[in-house]
Amino acid sequence: MGGHYVVFGRNVPTHVLAMGFLGGYAALGGYFALKPAAPQPATPPIQASSADEEAFIKEFLAKTEQDDNKQ
């Protein structure tokens, strides 16, 4: 058969090493592909120039959400 490598004092055929590496790459790829994403904030951050403006925007959004929930 083909060649072999000595790993920790044991002869390991090259095809076993290749299958191990391919399996490891597939496992890592599957792990990162199926990992849940971090939750995104529901609304973008409010960029107000003053505290009064920010309070007005928050109050307006809360009132609008209440109106939407009533309908």
Side-chain angles (χ1 to χ4, degrees):
M1 202 149 168
H4 65 275
Y5 288 95
V6 178
V7 180
F8 298 115
R10 300 185 68 184
N11 291 336
V12 180
T14 55
H15 71 278
V16 172
L17 288 175
M19 288 188 306
F21 275 100
L22 289 175
Y25 285 132
L28 283 174
Y31 172 75
F32 286 114
L34 298 176
K35 188 166 80 169
Q40 298 293 325
T43 59
I46 299 172
Q47 307 229 346
S49 59
S50 67
D52 291 335
E53 182 181 4
E54 183 176 351
F56 172 76
I57 293 171
K58 287 182 180 181
E59 181 182 329
F60 177 78
L61 290 175
K63 182 181 176 192
T64 305
E65 286 179 10
Q66 287 176 353
D67 291 344
D68 287 343
N69 290 337
K70 289 181 183 177
Q71 294 177 359

